[in-house]
Structures are given as C-alpha cells and as structure tokens.
Amino acid sequence: MNSQYRINVFKRASLCRNFEQYVFNGIRQKMFKFPIYLSAGQEYISASIAEVMNEIDISPNIFIQHRGHSTYLSFDAPIEKLIDELLGRPSGCANGMGGSASIQSKEKNIYGHDGLMGSQVPIAVGHCYTTNHPTIVYMGDASAEEDYVLGALGWAATKKLPILFIVEDNNLSILTEKKIRRSWEMHDVAKSFGMPSENIPDDPLVVKKALEHVFKGPKLLNINTHRKFWHSGAGIDDEDTFDRFKEEMKLIGIEAENIDKKIKKQVQDIWQKQLEKQ
C-alpha cells in the first residue's frame, strides 16, 4: 500500500518538478515579464498531501501562498491555465492578472494569494469558520511570523475548526535564515494554543502518518524542506542542497526514471502547444 502511495506521490512531484524546470529555463530566456516564484525542491509537500486527500476522498478548500505552482499542480488544477497565466494571457487561471504569485483554480477550490505576506491564513480561517468545510492553508516560514497569522491560529484553536495549517519551512526569508529572524518554532506556537502540531521532514510516508485523523480539528504541520532555486528568478542557491525528489527517485528506482521521462515529455508537449496558441 505504501509502495503504491509512494509511486503516486512521485507522479505528482514529477509533474511539478518538470514544469518548474521548464519555467526555470524560460526565465533565463526572458520568456516572462514579471517575477516568477518557483516551488521546485518543495514539491513533495503538496504532492504528498494531495495524494492523501485523494486516498481519503476529501476535496478541501485550499488557500495557496505565493510560491504555489506545486500546490496548484499537485491538486490537479489545469496546467494549461497556469501556463497561460505565466504568459499573461486572459485565458490564464487568474485572467492573466495574477502572475506567478496569485494563481487560483475555481475547479479545484484553490483560492489565490493577494500578495500581502501571510494574509491567506486569517482569510482561510475566516472562510473555514463560515463554511465548516475541510480547509488547507499554506504559508512559508517567514509568512508565519506575521502577527495576524498568530491571531488566526488562536481563533482556529478556540473554535476547533477543520483546518490544516502547512508551514513550508525552507529556513529562508529570501536569504535570511530562520535563526536570525526568531528564537521560536511554529509547531511550539501552535501547541501553546492547544493545537496538535508536528515538526517533520518532507518525507512522503512521514507526511502521510501526520495526516491521520486530519480535519477532526485544527492541526499545524511545520514541514522542513529545501528550495532548489532562488526566492525569485533563475538561480540556484546551492548545488549541494538536499533534494527530496532525487532521493525518492533513487528509492523507487527504474520505475521512477521511466515515469519521470514520460511526464517530462508530456510537460514539454503541453508547453509547446500553449506557446503555439494564438
């Protein structure tokens, strides 16, 4: 069972990684007219969560953050609309006006980020309070430091809302490490509100275990990960940075290599088709 889950997560992650690599190359070729925030390196968080949601047959409301391409793709939102959005077309997922930072999908109940750092968290909490529908909200480790985020956590805990807070913790706010910015950890903050929380790696099996009994009340997962590319643009922070995607490919073996080659070709074909569209 875990073997098939691991393969299914890899398929989602491969789509994200190959999409982001294509975009990375496009940035270097000056294909885009605005800043691009790539989620490569962090795709195993959303890929794992999306596969768990698929297994338990729950379609949550999702509040995305600015580094959200992988979240969008992992939850099966239309890839063509994301491509068109990055190209600034009216046919894009945010009508060509959201760019990379504010993508959305009405089809998959993915709500776009407005650009104000961490604002998606109180908005998600308010929406969950109104609808009482299972909700997932993503934030970075820097967004988590905003005061209104902390207040929203307290309200969710008080009202016992069916909401999952995901902190994609890559330890960096642009280039500033977490230890310079604060002396506390988000999973400890959540516990102080009486909310279940865990500090875990982006290992797909660990993430799956942490999602047992999800939406029985609020929960926070601080998931440690590593970004592959710069905060914005086409650069690489460190060639030796740990890469969960490559580690999983090694674990799965030749089947993963074949899956990745197939998905890479599919992504390239879709991009080419959209680029040729008038």
Side-chain angles (χ1 to χ4, degrees), residues 124-139:
V125 169
H127 191 272
C128 185
Y129 177 66
T130 301
T131 63
N132 201 40
H133 186 79
T135 300
I136 303 174
V137 56
Y138 289 82
M139 69 190 99

Side-chain angles (χ1 to χ4, degrees), residues 64-115:
I64 203 168
Q65 64 157 330
H66 71 284
R67 195 180 303 282
H69 297 175
S70 288
T71 303
Y72 179 98
L73 293 170
S74 289
F75 281 91
D76 303 319
I79 185 173
E80 293 85 357
K81 289 188 177 182
L82 178 54
I83 292 172
D84 284 356
E85 187 63 34
L86 297 183
L87 295 173
R89 294 172 173 172
S91 52
C93 63
N95 303 117
M97 296 185 288
S100 171
S102 300
I103 56 178
Q104 64 180 14
S105 174
K106 293 180 179 179
E107 299 93 332
K108 298 298 178 179
N109 295 324
I110 297 175
Y111 295 85
H113 183 225
D114 61 17

